[in-house]
Amino acid sequence: EPEVTQTPSHQVTQMGQEVILRCVPISNHLYFYWYRQILGQKVEFLVSFYNNEISEKSEIFDDQFSVERPDGSNFTLKIRSTKLEDSAMYFCASRDPLGSNQPQHFGDGTRLSIL
Amino acid sequence: LAKTTQPISMDSYEGQEVNITCSHNNIATNDYITWYQQFPSQGPRFIIQGYKTKVTNEVASLFIPADRKSSTLSLPRVSLSDTAVYYCLVGEGRNTDKLIFGTGTRLQVFP
């Protein structure tokens, strides 16, 4: 069964450094998402992306965050200057374009630890 | 604004059937009901989705009454590996497909 893959599985970064989290969505999917989950808390929506532009973003997704689909297979989340509170699991998801009710499929996440 | 309400936790034993009910009183006409499962340190995994009546797949069944104000996820003959958090989600509106996760139901299966 096709799946969303994320790399790295764990990223440790010094506060203030830039970090790029990578995702390979399911191949025929055209809608892409990033979510995060701080340890012990709910899964939170960050951003949705379609047709090479952001469709929607949450309040969390401020100017320090950006997303990109640099080629036909990768979808990345960049945090420009990391803060301690950015420590979380970051999940990428993708969805089939055939119908708005299609479920989102998630990767197993990148654990981001900011020191 | 909470769109769904489900029990915080449930306990069961291996081999039993588990039913997790979710309330969604304000569900919109176009909304589907979707259930996800999440293991520790993993992403949410899609289990099942339905609009009305009953849906069944190889993993679970989803029962939706006619008024659609609630739904019940049924897991037949659970095993230890079904210990996880289960989330019930409905649509957030016409112009968005973002998912809003609640705290889910933490299911603990005992031997």
Side-chain angles (χ1 to χ4, degrees), chain B residues 37 45-48 56-61 73-76 82:
Chain B
Q37 174 193 55
R45 184 174 77 96
F46 169 76
I47 303 175
I48 198 166
T56 297
N57 62 22
E58 63 278 5
V59 176
S61 296
L73 175 73
S74 181
L75 305 172
D82 293 315

Side-chain angles (χ1 to χ4, degrees), chain A residues 48-112:
Chain A
S48 57
F49 189 88
Y50 170 70
N51 200 24
N52 276 324
E53 60 183 31
I54 291 174
S55 310
E56 186 175 2
K57 59 184 180 180
S58 71
E59 290 179 355
I60 303 167
F61 195 89
D62 62 21
D63 291 345
Q64 294 301 310
F65 290 85
S66 63
V67 289
E68 191 179 29
R69 186 155 165 81
D71 53 42
S73 59
N74 290 285
F75 179 51
T76 62
L77 174 70
K78 183 195 291 186
I79 308 175
R80 211 178 333 273
S81 177
T82 50
K83 304 186 285 283
L84 292 176
E85 54 264 38
D86 293 327
S87 294
M89 286 288 290
Y90 287 80
F91 298 112
C92 172
S94 68
R95 174 170 77 78
D96 192 306
L98 219 64
S100 60
N101 60 300
Q102 292 294 317
Q104 296 178 26
H105 294 271
F106 287 75
D108 274 338
T110 293
R111 179 177 301 281
L112 179 62

Side-chain angles (χ1 to χ4, degrees), chain A residues 31 33 35 37 42-43 45 48 56 89 91 95 101-109 111, chain B residues 30 32 34 36 38 41-46 49 87 95-103:
Chain A
Y31 293 83
Y33 311 84
Y35 293 80
Q37 186 174 31
K42 299 176 188 179
V43 177
F45 169 79
S48 57
E56 186 175 2
M89 286 288 290
F91 298 112
R95 174 170 77 78
N101 60 300
Q102 292 294 317
Q104 296 178 26
H105 294 271
F106 287 75
D108 274 338
R111 179 177 301 281
Chain B
N30 295 332
Y32 279 70
T34 310
Y36 284 86
Q38 187 180 28
S41 298
Q42 292 187 24
R45 184 174 77 96
F46 169 76
Q49 182 183 68
Y87 299 98
N95 298 317
T96 178
D97 61 351
K98 68 183 177 188
L99 298 178
I100 303 295
F101 286 81
T103 52

